Amino acid sequence: MRYLVFLLVALATLPLRAAELTLTPTEIQEWKAVYGEIETRDRVPARARLGGTIVALDVTEGDRVAAGQILARVQDEKLSFRLRAVDAQIESLNTQIETARTDLSRGESLRERGVVTVQRLDQLRTQVDILEGRIESTRAERRVIEQQVAEGDVLAPETGVVLSVPVSRGSVVTPGEVLADIGGGGAYVRLAVPERHATTLTEGGRIAFGPGSGLEAHEGRLAKVYPRIEGGRVLADIEVPGLEARFVGRRVPVRLPVGMRPALLVPQTALTRTGGLDFVTVTSPDGPVRRTVVPGQEIARDGTVWREILTGLRAGDTVVLP
């Protein structure tokens, strides 16, 4: 009995064997720190359809507009003169046709009594038809001028925000001149990535944002990679849910995945710090040995924080875990 008690006490005083981890290279995502700019998906100019003077300008930079909303009004004084001239022609033709219809009615009455010939009556009818045609042609000309006047209203091409207004009230513009730039279709982040990373960009990939961007809590998606390389850089667009185009052109830091690389990872709890140095305990033929290491970035996996070891360990080492 005494022997059994002695054995139990001896076993209780033996140190428990610590957990161990054999290091093997692990593929981790490599990130490239770049800057992106917030842009609107569409940037459409609102152009003048009529040449003339801007008599009304109802928007300024930053205003929200709806598709079809009147942004400005261009007026051409010559169209007003043409309208008055056409109205005068129509009034004169109306007077002439009233006289012609009266003559035709009188001629029909005289024809019944045999006073007027059929030829003269046909001439009267022809004169009425000619005047009616001239009136309809003049009215059509007036409708064309009215449409030109209506085209003086500059309309918003789509719903969005006014990015720039390069003109002012009283300016003289020509047909096709830009009166305002409208940004619409939502906002996205545009990147200009060095061309050496072009082959690593995959549409649909997840994008993270760096500290100070204000978008750390958001995750973007690489929506489009443009095929043209300009100035040694590739353009790419990132979709970010809920991104607002309040400040178009604002630069934000972006962490861009550019490939995978092997790394040695140990749990954060395996590191100890003494005298400003970091140590990891590994096994050796002579027992546990503390090695000085240089840790790298933190990586969260399955709810555990791991640290990359840059120097001090190699693949195959067995790390003693607490």
Side-chain angles (χ1 to χ4, degrees), residues 150-308:
E151 289 179 353
D153 292 340
V154 180
L155 308 179
E158 69 172 296
T159 300
V161 61
V162 179
L163 301 179
S164 66
V165 182
V167 296
S168 61
R169 184 174 179 179
S171 300
V172 177
V173 296
T174 58
E177 188 170 344
V178 177
L179 272 67
D181 274 332
I182 310 299
Y188 64 92
V189 177
R190 170 162 291 179
L191 301 177
V193 184
E195 60 182 327
R196 64 179 179 275
H197 299 304
T199 56
T200 64
L201 299 178
T202 304
E203 292 186 1
R206 299 298 175 181
I207 305 297
F209 293 93
S213 64
L215 301 173
E216 294 87 349
H218 296 72
E219 186 179 63
R221 184 182 69 88
L222 194 60
K224 185 174 184 179
V225 179
Y226 291 86
R228 182 177 178 83
I229 298 177
E230 297 182 355
R233 293 186 174 273
V234 179
L235 296 180
D237 293 341
I238 301 175
E239 287 185 348
V240 184
L243 181 63
E244 295 184 0
R246 182 182 178 188
F247 296 107
V248 176
R250 181 169 72 93
R251 289 165 57 85
V252 294
V254 178
R255 298 177 64 235
L256 187 68
V258 293
M260 305 293 290
R261 62 180 178 83
L264 296 178
L265 302 179
V266 299
Q268 177 68 45
T269 55
L271 278 80
T272 58
R273 190 171 182 83
T274 304
L277 300 177
D278 294 291
F279 295 90
V280 172
T281 303
V282 298
T283 61
S284 70
D286 299 328
V289 177
R290 297 178 69 196
R291 286 188 185 172
T292 305
V293 296
V294 177
Q297 62 178 323
E298 294 185 359
I299 299 175
R301 288 191 173 185
D302 301 328
T304 303
V305 179
W306 296 72
R307 291 291 294 273
E308 179 186 3

Side-chain angles (χ1 to χ4, degrees), residues 3-15:
Y3 176 76
L4 179 59
V5 173
F6 177 77
L7 181 59
L8 292 175
V9 172
L11 291 175
T13 57
L14 289 176

Side-chain angles (χ1 to χ4, degrees), residues 30-243:
E30 187 173 8
W31 301 88
K32 170 72 174 178
V34 296
Y35 274 89
E37 289 189 3
I38 296 179
E39 297 284 351
T40 54
R41 184 174 304 280
D42 303 319
R43 187 165 183 172
V44 186
R47 300 180 182 274
R49 296 175 292 176
L50 177 71
T53 304
I54 300 176
V55 296
L57 186 61
D58 302 327
V59 294
T60 186
E61 289 84 351
D63 288 349
R64 296 280 177 175
V65 296
Q69 177 179 335
I70 297 177
L71 308 181
R73 181 172 289 108
V74 179
Q75 183 175 339
D76 186 355
E77 291 293 339
K78 295 189 297 295
L79 296 180
S80 300
F81 298 148
R82 289 179 59 188
L83 278 176
R84 288 196 288 269
V86 170
D87 288 339
Q89 291 179 19
I90 293 176
E91 185 177 355
S92 174
L93 290 172
N94 285 334
T95 302
Q96 294 179 39
I97 198 170
E98 287 178 5
T99 302
R101 286 171 178 168
T102 301
D103 292 342
L104 177 60
S105 178
R106 185 183 300 113
E108 290 175 345
S109 298
L110 295 175
R111 178 72 186 91
E112 292 175 355
R113 289 181 289 178
V115 178
V116 176
T117 63
V118 175
Q119 182 180 4
R120 175 58 182 165
L121 188 62
D122 289 341
Q123 291 176 348
L124 294 175
R125 289 196 182 99
T126 301
Q127 186 176 0
V128 171
D129 292 340
I130 291 174
L131 289 174
E132 287 179 345
R134 290 180 59 187
I135 290 174
E136 183 59 33
S137 174
T138 307
R139 287 175 177 171
E141 182 181 354
R142 191 183 197 285
R143 289 193 292 270
V144 170
I145 299 175
E146 289 176 345
Q147 178 61 33
Q148 291 177 337
V149 173
E151 289 179 353
D153 292 340
V154 180
L155 308 179
E158 69 172 296
T159 300
V161 61
V162 179
L163 301 179
S164 66
V165 182
V167 296
S168 61
R169 184 174 179 179
S171 300
V172 177
V173 296
T174 58
E177 188 170 344
V178 177
L179 272 67
D181 274 332
I182 310 299
Y188 64 92
V189 177
R190 170 162 291 179
L191 301 177
V193 184
E195 60 182 327
R196 64 179 179 275
H197 299 304
T199 56
T200 64
L201 299 178
T202 304
E203 292 186 1
R206 299 298 175 181
I207 305 297
F209 293 93
S213 64
L215 301 173
E216 294 87 349
H218 296 72
E219 186 179 63
R221 184 182 69 88
L222 194 60
K224 185 174 184 179
V225 179
Y226 291 86
R228 182 177 178 83
I229 298 177
E230 297 182 355
R233 293 186 174 273
V234 179
L235 296 180
D237 293 341
I238 301 175
E239 287 185 348
V240 184
L243 181 63

